[in-house]
Amino acid sequence: MSDEQPISDESSAALIERIRRLERASRALDPGSGRRKTLRNAVMASSERHLRKLHGQKGYVAGPDQGAGVLSLPIARAGHDLADVIALYEREVVQPGAHPSAPSHLAYIPGSSLYHSALADFLAAISNKYSSIFFSSPGAARLENMMVRWVADLVGYPESALGSIVSGGSIANLTAIVTARDARDVRSGDVPRAVVYLTTQTHHCIQKSLRIAGLGEVQLRYVATDARHRMRPDALATLISEDRARGLLPWMIVATAGSTDVGAVDPLEDIGDVAEREGCWYHVDAAYGGFFLLTDEGRRLLKGIERSHSVVLDPHKSLFMPWGAGVVIVRDGRALMESHGTSGHYMQDALRDDSEISPADLSPELTKPFRGLRMWLPLMLLGTQPFADALEEKLLLARYFRGEVAKLGFEVGPAPELSVVTYRWAPQGMPLEETDALNQRIIEGTHADGRVFLSSTMLDGRFTLRMVALSFRTHKRNIDMALRVLHEQLVRIGLVERPAAQ
Ligand SMILES: *Cc1c(COP(=O)(O)O)cnc(C)c1O
């Protein structure tokens, strides 16, 4: 370090004086206990205002400004007033749009925002434990691996399995696909001959992951589905043998355990037979449906998931965590590590200690939030039973909704396997374009009303309405509200008679 230059010509006394001044000036970054209390009280009060309103909270708040007021306070050299900033957040960020923490959110795949997890996130951020590397944070690394192990046991994977808690299902699927690519040695020259088998129900993040993984040119085979939108194993087997005969490389089968659109669970056992016979990598995307394994019905439905080579489950969906948690597990954990293992000269101290696997060796991420804690704290405090009960309640609520929405005159889709129900207004003899337009009017009416948040999809080319119950906060009264809102829309549009005044 002999060629080091002084940062300026000033005397050492002047240098020390400048350092002291900057220390004082930057002290705002490190609030003392009094200021911490003020900050904490303001944040806690805001969170309490939110939670107290949740039960009557609209599922969707339509507004002309859509949070544009956020831009009214610029980032400047000096900070703004705490009360002003919190008020701006509540008005411009929390209020507009969908409310994924509210029980009336019955659209897309609802989130939940488990309070225990929010507090765990706070604790994790305060300690800032580096859960990526065992040497740095041995307890955090063990805890993170323990949570992955818990999920692996739930799936029924053997001891060889390893996995990672990443930000969500998309990155989890990407991690699995990269692992499958490397494990089966799909080189760049092989890509145009490699074949992936999926269905039209497969989540679009699979195609996106393939592109990101440099596999955009693989052959995609959309396997035929049955009346419940589930992959047909016989059709799968036929496609694979045809592809083989043509000199292609049947590489990976992607089954879905709870499709986002309709909650369809592919026949995992039978697909497992085909995968084994044909030597294909078998991936199961259970991002939405995975934690239904905590229920008896879910275990029966997802039987065969343990035969897969890799699996994805989203704790931020069916385990009620706030957004930001997806789990990927690979049955042969070595394959995951071979694709994601790390090294680096500056990490030489860390890499010497191998008594526990470092989560960074199993993930595309190095530095990452300590996500294990947001799973661990609630499971530690509550056990698994309340989760199982809440999920079973959601299965029954879906069944209840289907029966009741049919009584309103809607045509209903197949009995739900999980907690998604599809339905549409389709009177006999009405032309298709007309029913599509009517269903669009119904869903737009529900959005303008906002008391519950419902969504729609295109199913077999038809505009179809969906109701998804997934939040632990969603109960029968919210489903009844959805039914009331739908009925009011039918009356408004003139599809049914206004009920006689009571
Ligand atoms: C939600 C979902 C994904 C994507 O997961 P994100 O957590 O949103 O990234 C993938 N597959 C299925 C089946 C899903 O439901």
Side-chain angles (χ1 to χ4, degrees):
M1 309 272 172
S2 55
D3 58 349
E4 193 176 78
Q5 297 293 318
I7 57 169
S8 82
D9 296 336
E10 60 203 336
S11 70
S12 72
L15 176 66
I16 288 166
E17 179 44 36
R18 267 184 79 197
I19 290 171
R20 292 228 167 98
R21 189 168 48 72
L22 291 170
E23 178 181 329
R24 283 191 300 275
S26 62
R27 199 162 282 159
L29 297 176
D30 193 10
S33 70
R35 181 63 184 159
R36 285 205 300 274
K37 190 168 181 186
T38 304
L39 289 166
R40 188 168 62 240
N41 286 349
V43 167
M44 284 297 150
S46 175
S47 73
E48 281 302 314
R49 275 193 292 281
H50 180 74
L51 290 171
R52 273 199 300 271
K53 276 192 301 203
L54 266 190
H55 287 286
Q57 173 63 50
K58 283 185 161 191
Y60 190 85
V61 180
D65 294 344
Q66 297 178 307
V70 162
L71 309 175
S72 67
L73 281 190
I75 303 296
R77 284 184 78 89
H80 300 285
D81 177 68
L82 173 61
D84 291 350
V85 170
I86 297 278
L88 183 84
Y89 165 72
E90 290 183 14
R91 192 176 65 244
E92 304 294 343
V93 179
V94 180
Q95 266 313 302
H99 279 253
S101 54
S104 49
H105 190 297
L106 309 172
Y108 305 110
I109 298 288
S112 281
S113 80
L114 195 66
Y115 193 67
H116 310 68
S117 292
L119 294 177
D121 280 357
F122 178 73
L123 279 179
I126 293 291
S127 71
N128 208 20
K129 293 305 284 188
Y130 199 75
S131 58
S132 301
I133 303 290
F134 176 69
F135 169 79
S136 304
S137 292
R142 285 190 205 277
L143 187 151
E144 195 111 343
N145 290 341
M146 170 188 166
M147 293 323 302
V148 170
R149 186 67 247 167
W150 175 72
V151 180
D153 287 342
L154 193 64
V155 167
Y157 270 177
E159 280 304 311
S160 62
L162 292 171
S164 174
I165 312 175
V166 294
S167 60
S170 299
I171 302 299
N173 277 305
L174 172 64
T175 307
I177 283 170
V178 165
T179 304
R181 178 197 66 194
D182 297 350
R184 293 301 163 92
D185 203 24
V186 177
R187 308 280 183 97
S188 53
D190 306 321
V191 173
R193 289 197 307 136
V195 192
V196 177
Y197 302 87
L198 63 173
T199 74
T200 52
Q201 285 289 309
T202 304
H203 193 275
H204 51 84
C205 78
I206 296 293
Q207 289 93 322
K208 179 169 155 182
S209 294
L210 288 167
R211 281 199 308 277
I212 297 172
L215 301 168
E217 294 159 51
V218 292
Q219 310 280 330
L220 296 181
R221 293 279 180 275
Y222 290 90
V223 182
T225 50
D226 65 14
R228 288 167 158 240
H229 309 282
R230 298 175 299 194
M231 184 184 282
R232 277 179 39 202
D234 58 322
L236 172 67
T238 307
L239 281 175
I240 293 177
S241 52
E242 284 170 6
D243 284 337
R244 254 194 229 299
R246 291 159 61 194
L248 299 176
L249 304 169
W251 161 51
M252 181 171 68
I253 301 166
V254 180
T256 306
S259 70
T260 320
D261 223 10
V262 305
V265 179
D266 289 334
L268 302 180
E269 192 86 72
D270 294 348
I271 296 172
D273 287 340
V274 177
E276 196 172 306
R277 200 165 59 235
E278 300 290 346
C280 295
W281 184 277
Y282 182 22
H283 176 66
V284 175
D285 180 4
Y288 152 56
F291 289 100
F292 281 97
L293 282 167
L294 289 164
T295 69
D296 291 341
E297 182 128 4
R299 263 196 306 284
R300 188 180 53 71
L301 210 57
L302 271 65
K303 195 166 170 334
I305 192 171
E306 72 284 354
R307 299 183 58 179
S308 59
H309 294 96
S310 53
V311 68
V312 164
L313 301 86
D314 263 2
H316 68 202
K317 287 178 177 168
S318 41
L319 205 60
F320 312 134
M321 312 274 126
W323 300 135
V327 171
V328 54
I329 310 183
V330 176
R331 160 187 283 275
D332 177 3
R334 284 168 312 180
L336 180 63
M337 201 181 307
E338 263 156 42
S339 290
H340 296 89
T342 50
S343 63
H345 298 307
Y346 73 95
M347 287 170 56
Q348 59 187 8
D349 305 329
L351 296 175
R352 216 166 282 139
D353 190 342
D354 61 355
S355 46
E356 172 81 18
I357 290 170
S358 288
D361 281 333
L362 306 169
S363 167
E365 296 172 280
L366 175 56
T367 304
K368 61 196 187 93
F370 179 16
R371 300 189 181 98
L373 203 67
R374 57 185 3 234
M375 293 175 67
W376 180 83
L377 188 67
L379 289 167
M380 274 284 134
L381 295 176
L382 306 172
T384 58
Q385 193 59 46
F387 291 88
D389 290 340
L391 288 167
E392 191 176 339
E393 179 197 10
K394 301 298 109 64
L395 296 173
L396 300 184
L397 285 176
R399 245 178 260 169
Y400 168 74
F401 176 85
R402 180 171 179 268
E404 296 299 311
V405 85
K407 287 183 199 161
L408 290 180
F410 283 94
E411 176 189 294
V412 292
E417 293 188 277
L418 293 173
S419 66
V420 184
V421 182
T422 56
Y423 55 103
R424 65 182 156 223
W425 191 260
Q428 287 256 315
M430 186 182 275
L432 294 188
E433 308 79 64
E434 210 171 311
T435 60
D436 281 3
L438 270 181
N439 284 289
Q440 188 158 2
R441 278 182 73 192
I442 292 170
I443 202 71
E444 284 168 4
T446 67
H447 290 173
D449 177 284
R451 277 173 294 171
V452 293
F453 186 29
L454 298 162
S455 61
S456 68
T457 186
M458 295 305 290
L459 203 54
D460 302 326
R462 305 285 312 277
F463 197 99
T464 302
L465 309 181
R466 304 164 69 249
M467 190 292 295
V468 190
L470 193 61
S471 169
F472 64 86
R473 290 195 180 98
T474 296
H475 301 298
K476 180 173 171 293
R477 61 179 166 276
N478 308 107
I479 304 302
D480 286 333
M481 178 60 84
L483 292 161
R484 187 181 321 158
V485 168
L486 285 167
H487 183 243
E488 287 175 15
Q489 289 306 317
L490 299 182
V491 172
R492 181 184 69 87
I493 299 171
L495 298 172
V496 299
E497 304 239 325
R498 188 173 298 279
Q502 309 249 322

